[in-house]
Amino acid sequence: GVYDLDRVRLTYVNEALGLTEADARRNSPIDFLPIRADAVLVARGETETGEYRRQHELLVDGLRRAGADGATVRSLVCRGRNHFDLPLGLGDPRDELGRAVLGTMGLA
């Protein structure tokens, strides 16, 4: 995911979005830690670009530093996947991400 929208603001994508610095700050999940949850699963594909990898680590580290209100923070890197095909395994107990999500929900 994208958790620091200021990076998006600095790319060509912002031509269509029109994010201001204030918009990016107001809408960036990284600026709203800690969260209230018992467990947090942060997943990314193994074949992601450097920026997606950086964003993933930014959120995982931020959650752990903030204590996430006592939440267990789990980082998962799914083999051979990227952000386009990663969601295809949600809810599928045969899929690495599906197992992790179902387990986090107590449904494994």
Side-chain angles (χ1 to χ4, degrees), residues 7-29:
R7 296 302 269 259
V8 173
R9 187 180 65 79
L10 302 173
T11 70
Y12 75 93
V13 174
N14 201 40
E15 291 174 25
L17 296 177
L19 288 173
T20 66
E21 187 175 351
D23 294 332
R25 188 174 302 115
R26 182 178 61 251
N27 293 296
S28 292

Side-chain angles (χ1 to χ4, degrees), residues 2-5 7 30 33 42 51-65:
V2 179
Y3 311 108
D4 175 10
L5 295 177
R7 296 302 269 259
I30 197 66
L33 302 178
V42 183
E51 182 58 21
Y52 277 102
R53 290 190 305 269
R54 187 193 75 80
Q55 294 264 346
H56 175 94
E57 292 304 320
L58 181 71
L59 184 62
V60 169
D61 292 346
L63 286 166
R64 288 179 176 157
R65 266 194 320 278

Side-chain angles (χ1 to χ4, degrees), residues 27-91:
N27 293 296
S28 292
I30 197 66
D31 292 326
F32 294 95
L33 302 178
I35 62 168
R36 293 185 183 143
D38 291 333
V40 180
L41 172 65
V42 183
R44 72 165 175 86
E46 176 185 47
T47 63
E48 296 294 357
T49 65
E51 182 58 21
Y52 277 102
R53 290 190 305 269
R54 187 193 75 80
Q55 294 264 346
H56 175 94
E57 292 304 320
L58 181 71
L59 184 62
V60 169
D61 292 346
L63 286 166
R64 288 179 176 157
R65 266 194 320 278
D69 280 349
T72 300
V73 179
R74 180 175 173 205
S75 173
L76 177 64
V77 178
C78 296
R79 291 178 302 270
R81 303 300 274 280
N82 63 50
H83 60 277
F84 291 112
D85 63 9
L86 188 65
L88 299 177
L90 289 171

